[in-house]
Amino acid sequence: MVSMKMSFMTSAAFNQNPSKAKKEASEQPLVITDHGEAAYVLVSYAEFQANWKAPKTLFAALRDPEADEREFEPERLNFDNRTVEF
């Protein structure tokens, strides 16, 4: 999973200086806290479109992009010496 850096700002600081919040959000997501708890996230519109706006299929959401480059060769199972009861 990709780790994403984020900035933090209190809601009071956000209300006092929204242009600073916009500047920080243009560089990386900005978490706005309310009473010490994360309450909102401010991101640039380009980041929003790239990461959250487009609906993903379950396959696209769970797919490992590097999986296409790796070969999958599981070990062959050996069922010798096993008794099976039906």
Side-chain angles (χ1 to χ4, degrees):
M1 179 170 266
V2 176
S3 176
M4 182 182 295
K5 290 187 176 186
M6 293 190 232
S7 297
F8 291 84
M9 178 180 279
T10 65
S11 58
F14 173 78
N15 288 331
Q16 290 174 358
N17 199 347
S19 56
K20 181 180 178 184
K22 290 192 306 186
K23 183 180 178 190
E24 286 190 38
S26 68
E27 297 170 9
Q28 59 192 9
L30 174 67
V31 177
I32 302 168
T33 62
D34 195 11
H35 301 288
E37 297 289 324
Y40 302 95
V41 178
L42 183 64
V43 296
S44 68
Y45 188 69
E47 175 128 1
F48 170 74
Q49 281 186 312
N51 295 301
W52 291 285
K53 190 174 180 186
K56 290 184 179 180
T57 64
L58 181 60
F59 174 76
L62 297 177
R63 182 179 164 270
D64 179 4
E66 296 174 8
D68 296 339
E69 299 169 9
R70 293 187 303 243
E71 291 187 29
F72 179 67
E73 295 181 21
E75 274 188 46
R76 186 161 177 86
L77 295 177
N78 184 354
F79 291 103
D80 295 339
N81 302 325
R82 289 192 182 180
T83 57
V84 180
E85 294 182 25
F86 291 99

